[in-house]
Amino acid sequence: MSFAKEPTAEEPLIVAGAGLAGSLMALYLARRGYFVDIYERRPDSRQAEFVGGRSINLALSTRGLNALDGVGLKDEILEKCIPMHGRLIHKPDGGTELQPYGKEGEFIYSVERRHLNEVLMNAADDHSHVNFHFEKKIINVALSDGTPVIENMKTGERSTTKTRYLFGADGAFSAIRGALQKTGRFNYAQEYLSHGYKELKIPGGENGEWLMEKNALHIWPCHDFMLIALPNLDGSFTLTLFLAYEGEHSFSKLRTPGAAIAFFETFFPDALKLMPDFEKDFFDNPTGDLVTIKCSPFHYNDQVLLLGDAAHAIVPFYGQGMNASFEDCFLIDQLLDSLAPDWGEVGRQFTKERIDDAHAIADLAIYNFLEMRSKVSNKNFLLKKKVDKRLNKWFPKSWMPLYSMVTFSNIPYAEARKRAARQDTLLKQMGWIVLAVLAILFFSMIAFGRTLVI
Amino acid sequence: MSFAKEPTAEEPLIVAGAGLAGSLMALYLARRGYFVDIYERRPDSRQAEFVGGRSINLALSTRGLNALDGVGLKDEILEKCIPMHGRLIHKPDGGTELQPYGKEGEFIYSVERRHLNEVLMNAADDHSHVNFHFEKKIINVALSDGTPVIENMKTGERSTTKTRYLFGADGAFSAIRGALQKTGRFNYAQEYLSHGYKELKIPGGENGEWLMEKNALHIWPCHDFMLIALPNLDGSFTLTLFLAYEGEHSFSKLRTPGAAIAFFETFFPDALKLMPDFEKDFFDNPTGDLVTIKCSPFHYNDQVLLLGDAAHAIVPFYGQGMNASFEDCFLIDQLLDSLAPDWGEVGRQFTKERIDDAHAIADLAIYNFLEMRSKVSNKNFLLKKKVDKRLNKWFPKSWMPLYSMVTFSNIPYAEARKRAARQDTLLKQMGWIVLAVLAILFFSMIAFGRTLVI
């Protein structure tokens, strides 16, 4: 059968994009002995000077670690990670409060994107059947026969090549997905938040020490907007301001150094003090958009499979973008265990198993923005979190807070969301039962009182 | 101010698309004395032989008639319309049941797309400042300065032209919207139903008479799928089968004449008897997709405005696609009353006022598929409809069924949806009150009985 052909040197597997998802996917495929060609529009980041534009550090958690473990890189990566034990909330009065992420020993890790990407590329490069093609972008796919069209980013020259199966890991604005979008009945949605983001920096101290708590993710929640900070290995922190484009508190109001400084003095005075280059960073760094991309299906015939941001770009508020992408690679590798070399079936199964999860984590990530910028300073919310954690302690297997299911387990995202909804319903019912018992007790007391009086 | 410049012969208004929305928009603009150029990728349909592919007849209702009235064409159009007083449900036992659409005198009209389009084009053509450019497609817009890029469909030659303001009425797969989609923070979603559709035909009788009830929209509801029929002036009916692509009852199962005929014999025997060319029609006519398209914003700077299907393509189950498009033209004309020649502000206001309505009717149209194919034969649903209508009779101003608000009023779609939700809540509460009163009566009777016994 034609769809069951193995890849060869002449007709290799191709991965579009040598970012985090593309590099890990290539590595998983290489470990199976496949011929793999990777096309990346940028120069080799291992040899290039630092290129900005994408976030500097990311939060790595269970799903990502699990996928790194699958290629034997977990320990090497963990060596250069900084554990963050919880959210460190900066309050308006200048005080702080640590809200642990999970149980004792459960935490997430701050990791540098560039380092992580380099480790993955090096590991893939170690396989003799893997070829990187830098500054070459797959700009289109002829879906009649799956032929990728490649543009040389230096010369503008276009060419085509042959492939057995194409993995589209070319990011949120994927050209491969663009080709699929022209096929019949392809569902697609891109939705922007009304907020944008801007990265800033708190440098390390004189001796490379951290000038705020190192082992936490810092949050300054201001209801409509927030500032967060993640620690880096060199003692610095990368800060991100999430703020609406328009409105009372918005980027549109911060167009002069005076206005920006006054805004930070009002809402983030402790952070501002630690940012000597604030003005320069604020006006030199671009303001980024926050987009959610959903699509369906993730595959096309026995030719193409989308993964990572190309399949499901999400907003960063659950710290799951990279983790979900890594989990894609892990799941595809599992499917190959039973289905290889039936590439068409791998694609179909991946779509079938993964679409609901991708949509669930996309929605949860949008919801979590509200939690981070506002709910973390709400007493009822914190009480509910406490009850949630207590129930988890009593019933560790049957009761798990949503955050823990998403961050510290491999429970499929959609299932995690469903379980959390069931738990919330139960919690409300329990609340009513407690109220009812109290009411019965109250009236019994009155009745008892009456009896006494009589 | 540059954005307040009036159009001129050198820099006219341009309308992309001479379909229903584009022709009516051009006519509204022409009546204001503007120079208008209309670009249409197809040949002039007034001179061409019949071109299939799009639905032959459509349901015209209050919003559409209102917009036609605004250009003085309502009566001319109504002359060639067939009133449909209600849904004529074809039951499995061969019987039929008429479910009226509204109150006495409220009905919708079956109208031929081609006739309607021709009347609109002729009326626009009567204005000396209007120029039609057929077989010329606007394939892109250079958004730096709003320059449209035009492709000659016969020669393939490309050129550019100048415009004061561009109206994108180029349909569900709008190239103008494609250009906007590449701008920052443009929200876009295309979602396909798992059902497709196929048009069929019941010809007229020997003397051009209708072989089924003429003044009704016929429905054969089968829960997961349905057949509908609309009357044409020549005595024929245009039928549309809505059926899933895959599954137990699906197009995938109807790949042979035998299978298709058996399917129709089982579910639509009365219709099949009236279709002498069934087999030919079924296998010659294409199977069409059903797509919902949402986007936001509808405008770009002071350069572009999207309207009609280009802004909001919806599924056909509420009969509102054309009506919503015509209402767009009416609303834009109203905005021009107060805002012309500030084109940028017209666009901004149109986006502001129309997005929620467009999204509401898109959702309602998807919901109505369920109503048409299944709920119309559900007793509880019919009872609720009766109560709804009775309340409307008692409180004609404050209580209106959703269908009536959408079809027989100009209440903005989003507001109609909100009002209907409030009415539904009220209805449920009334149900509980009735139950409570009955319960009190019941227990009072028992107590009364006891008193008697005592």
Side-chain angles (χ1 to χ4, degrees), chain B residues 283-350:
Chain B
F283 290 98
D284 282 5
N285 293 351
T287 308
D289 292 331
L290 296 160
V291 68
T292 299
I293 286 172
K294 293 179 182 174
C295 70
S296 157
F298 291 156
H299 72 284
Y300 182 77
N301 290 349
D302 59 337
Q303 297 166 8
V304 179
L305 186 63
L306 301 174
L307 69 150
D309 284 358
H312 44 70
I314 65 180
V315 292
F317 306 108
Y318 228 118
Q320 285 294 312
M322 170 184 63
N323 289 289
S325 298
F326 281 179
E327 198 177 43
D328 285 349
C329 303
F330 181 81
L331 292 173
I332 292 165
D333 187 63
Q334 280 199 320
L335 290 174
L336 285 169
D337 266 348
S338 53
L339 299 173
D342 188 344
W343 301 97
E345 193 54 27
V346 169
R348 275 186 292 279
Q349 279 301 321
F350 184 66

Side-chain angles (χ1 to χ4, degrees), chain A residues 18 23 26 36-40 46 120-122 124-125 130-134:
Chain A
S23 299
V36 185
D37 276 22
I38 311 170
Y39 289 84
E40 166 59 44
R46 294 169 295 184
L120 291 171
M121 284 197 279
N122 286 337
D125 237 355
V130 173
N131 288 304
F132 279 92
H133 305 265
F134 290 101

Side-chain angles (χ1 to χ4, degrees), chain A residues 17 30 50 92 200 213 228 271 298 377 451:
Chain A
F50 173 73
L200 299 164
E213 166 60 45
I228 68 166
F298 291 157
S377 47
T451 314

Side-chain angles (χ1 to χ4, degrees), chain B residues 337-398:
Chain B
D337 266 348
S338 53
L339 299 173
D342 188 344
W343 301 97
E345 193 54 27
V346 169
R348 275 186 292 279
Q349 279 301 321
F350 184 66
T351 285
K352 201 175 156 190
E353 291 180 16
R354 197 60 171 160
I355 293 275
D356 286 351
D357 292 329
H359 292 188
I361 191 59
D363 297 341
L364 288 172
I366 291 171
Y367 161 78
N368 225 41
F369 186 24
L370 186 70
E371 179 164 323
M372 288 178 81
R373 67 185 152 95
S374 183
K375 290 198 167 185
V376 288
S377 47
N378 174 301
K379 279 183 185 163
N380 283 337
F381 171 79
L382 294 174
L383 178 66
K384 201 227 146 202
K385 278 238 157 180
K386 269 191 186 163
V387 173
D388 235 10
K389 280 195 175 177
R390 175 58 53 149
L391 286 166
N392 179 228
K393 215 169 180 175
W394 288 342
F395 313 105
K397 283 194 178 162
S398 54

Side-chain angles (χ1 to χ4, degrees), chain A residues 274-312:
Chain A
L274 303 174
M275 290 189 273
D277 296 326
F278 171 76
E279 196 181 313
K280 187 177 181 309
D281 286 352
F282 194 89
F283 290 97
D284 282 5
N285 292 352
T287 308
D289 291 332
L290 296 161
V291 69
T292 299
I293 287 172
K294 293 179 182 174
C295 70
S296 157
F298 291 157
H299 71 284
Y300 182 78
N301 291 349
D302 61 336
Q303 297 165 9
V304 179
L305 186 63
L306 300 174
L307 68 149
D309 284 358
H312 44 69

Side-chain angles (χ1 to χ4, degrees), chain B residues 101-117:
Chain B
Y101 277 125
K103 291 183 290 196
E104 187 78 31
E106 281 182 340
F107 29 77
I108 64 175
Y109 296 90
S110 176
V111 63
E112 283 176 36
R113 176 194 288 275
R114 186 174 171 169
H115 167 68
L116 189 48
N117 215 147

